[in-house]
């Protein structure tokens, strides 16, 4: 592969990003100004403030259940990690351990988590094939929501392209909480 490389320093040395699938998919800055990087194939990196190296958590270190980290959100002293193919890990940085939740052992609608958002005791997530879900962080209860985005109403159809307005199957990609009790979802028509 002749594509350019980017070296990312870590406690284990460094890894090369060579292919488009070797990428950083999520960045989160915690209250201590540490930078957390969710990567595709290498797990989770944490770059402490004013440091030149990263700590690494992945399947090889035994700290994560899956190495494709697509989303990182904090809940208390834990990090909820969306995994592309592995469901969701709840990671505890203090103990360097995680607990996995996946579709085969829970109500999680799928194992391909593309985005997460935390709000008032809930973690909201999007699964690539299963749509929107929520996790009550106090009880651990998971509620799945319909997998298709709502269709545009008749008045909106006049202003949207026929493809965007009339497509029956749509896919969510992004989720954000605005702090006012509303979720914002982004997606595409396919």
């Amino acid at each position: 592969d002749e594509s350019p490389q980017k070296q990312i320093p870590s406690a284990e040395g460094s890894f090369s990003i060579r292919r488009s699938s070797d990428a950083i998919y999520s960045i989160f800055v915690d209250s201590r100004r540490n930078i957390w990087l969710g990567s595709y194939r290498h797990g989770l990196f944490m770059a402490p403030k004013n440091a030149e190296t990263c700590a690494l958590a992945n399947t090889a270190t035994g700290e994560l259940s899956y190495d494709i980290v697509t989303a990182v959100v904090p809940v208390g002293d834990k990090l909820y990690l969306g995994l592309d193919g592995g469901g969701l890990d709840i990671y505890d940085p203090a103990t360097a351990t995680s607990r996995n939740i996946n579709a085969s052992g829970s109500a999680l609608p799928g194992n391909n988590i593309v985005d997460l958002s935390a709000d008032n005791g809930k973690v909201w997530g999007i699964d690539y094939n299963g749509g929107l879900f929520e996790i009550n962080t106090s009880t651990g209860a998971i509620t799945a929501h319909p997998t298709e985005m709502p269709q545009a109403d008749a008045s909106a159809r006049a202003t949207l392209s026929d493809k965007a307005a009339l497509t029956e199957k749509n896919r969510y990609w992004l989720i954000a909480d605005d702090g006012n009790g509303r979720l914002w979802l982004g997606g595409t028509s396919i």
Side-chain angles (χ1 to χ4, degrees), residues 34-127:
N34 297 317
I35 299 172
W36 296 86
L37 306 168
S39 73
Y40 205 89
R41 293 191 181 175
H42 299 287
L44 182 68
F45 289 84
M46 190 274 287
K49 180 181 174 184
N50 302 323
E52 294 183 21
T53 60
C54 296
L56 174 66
N58 62 19
T59 57
T61 65
E63 296 175 43
L64 300 182
S65 67
Y66 209 73
D67 286 333
I68 302 173
V69 180
T70 54
V72 180
V73 296
V75 175
D77 58 352
K78 309 275 191 296
L79 297 175
Y80 279 63
L81 308 176
L83 308 173
D84 186 3
L88 185 120
D89 273 358
I90 302 172
Y91 180 67
D92 184 344
T95 62
T97 59
S98 65
R99 179 173 63 90
N100 182 257
I101 300 170
N102 60 58
S104 65
S106 73
L108 198 65
N111 288 326
N112 301 94
I113 310 304
V114 296
D115 204 9
L116 296 170
S117 182
D119 172 46
N120 297 325
K122 292 183 182 181
V123 170
W124 291 91
I126 298 171
D127 177 79

Side-chain angles (χ1 to χ4, degrees), residues 2-32:
E2 299 298 320
S3 61
Q5 297 182 33
K6 290 187 177 181
Q7 295 292 319
I8 307 292
S10 74
E12 314 298 314
S14 65
F15 73 86
S16 297
I17 296 178
R18 299 184 135 206
R19 296 172 296 276
S20 64
S21 61
D22 288 344
I24 302 301
Y25 272 48
S26 182
I27 298 174
F28 164 68
V29 180
D30 69 19
S31 62
R32 287 182 241 148

Side-chain angles (χ1 to χ4, degrees), residues 106-174:
S106 73
L108 198 65
N111 288 326
N112 301 94
I113 310 304
V114 296
D115 204 9
L116 296 170
S117 182
D119 172 46
N120 297 325
K122 292 183 182 181
V123 170
W124 291 91
I126 298 171
D127 177 79
Y128 182 77
N129 294 308
L132 181 67
F133 64 90
E134 65 181 282
I135 301 172
N136 180 314
T137 59
S138 297
T139 66
I142 299 171
T143 305
H145 296 280
T147 60
E148 293 184 351
M149 292 184 347
Q151 297 300 303
D153 64 26
S155 62
R157 288 186 182 179
T159 60
L160 298 173
S161 72
D162 286 345
K163 182 178 179 184
L166 300 175
T167 301
E168 290 182 14
K169 192 168 187 178
N170 297 290
R171 196 171 306 269
Y172 294 118
W173 285 101
L174 302 168

